[in-house]
Amino acid sequence: MSTSAAYVTFVDPDGVDDEKEIALAAWAEAGITGHIVRWDDPEIDWAAFDAVVVRTPWDYVGRRAEFLDWTRRVESVTRLLNPAAVLERNTDKTYLRALDDLAIPTYWVAPGEAVDFPDLQEYVVKPSVSSGARDTIRTVDRGKAEAHAAQLAAEGRTAMIQPYLDMVEAEGETSLLYFGGRFSHAIRRIPMLVENATGLDEENSRGGLRDPEPDQLALAERVLAEFPEVLYARVDLVRLPDGTPVLIELELTEPYLFLRYAPDGAANLARALAEAL
Ligand SMILES: Nc1ncnc2c1ncn2[C@@H]1O[C@H](COP(=O)(O)OP(=O)(O)O)[C@@H](O)[C@H]1O
Ligand SMILES: [Mg+2]
């Protein structure tokens, strides 16, 4: 009997998730029959799959509690990758607090706490639960930064205040992809908080393949040592003004994996999935 796995997406992935077909083709090569399903489809019998692979459920942000309930429900009947406990921890960027010395400097404002942070040249203010830079601002105006943090906290959300790292405009952000704990490929990503970001054509509008620097690989591996149980991981790095690489986000939930950009990417993921089964 062949092995089957769900590729979990959301109600409207076409046009945004352009890597599901590539992933499924590689799974088939590895003897795994893939099925594209949306996480909130009430008709799905999750127990029928040998594994349920969370891939692009990109509408969970406003529905986090419902999404996490779903992960626990699925995990009670079959193998969920990444595991529910990892997804719960990873869908709120407060996990960065535990990775403090490896991560971008961040000042936190939880609901009910005073808005308190030092003067910086330029600020980024974002909520701890977000994706695609939703509700994220960049400003040189301290008053605006304070007001946005206060607004998020008033909504019951935890606000994060960070220095704006302008290196992203020159070097770009680097994403390192790991499958089954092994490095697969690295990508130079287009910065999001910049108007008219240039340097890449439309075909490569999400980024391009890059060779990671040894210090980036070393940092990614230190971060991932904390998460030995994951199938897929994307480690997003930037550099401080002094050149030190730091973690800006660890994507263990629903990262775009840049499989179309890396010749072996999809096969690497399929191999890791086959091993996990
Ligand atoms: N402190 C920062 N300095 C420069 N760019 C930032 C900073 N924080 C966020 N960004 C930009 O905004 C994007 C989204 O922020 P991120 O923290 O990755 O949250 P998410 O992807 O979950 O929305 C980043 O990929 C980056 O381009
Ligand atoms: Mg991000």
Side-chain angles (χ1 to χ4, degrees), residues 230-247:
V230 302
L231 170 67
Y232 56 87
R234 196 182 85 198
V235 187
D236 293 349
L237 303 179
V238 291
R239 284 187 193 277
L240 299 178
D242 72 359
T244 311
V246 286
L247 182 68

Side-chain angles (χ1 to χ4, degrees), residues 12 51 56 97 179 226 233:
D12 191 22
T56 52
R97 295 184 103 149
F179 301 134
E226 312 268 328

Side-chain angles (χ1 to χ4, degrees), residues 5-8 27 51-55 79-82 231-232 273:
Y7 180 109
V8 176
W27 292 5
V52 171
V53 182
V54 178
R55 285 303 318 117
R79 183 81 184 274
L80 181 70
L81 297 164
N82 286 334
L231 170 67
Y232 56 87
L273 178 57

Side-chain angles (χ1 to χ4, degrees), residues 93 104 126 130-133 162-165 173 189 192 249:
K93 289 192 183 69
I104 179 171
K126 58 183 136 185
S130 184
S131 76
Q162 298 172 341
Y164 176 69
L165 296 175
E173 298 172 55
R189 290 193 21 250
M192 293 179 74
E249 185 175 17

Side-chain angles (χ1 to χ4, degrees), residues 8-10 39 54-61 67 70 253-254:
V8 176
T9 181
F10 69 117
W39 68 275
V54 178
R55 285 303 318 117
T56 52
W58 286 340
D59 59 354
Y60 84 82
V61 171
F67 177 69
W70 170 83
T253 306
E254 28 63 287

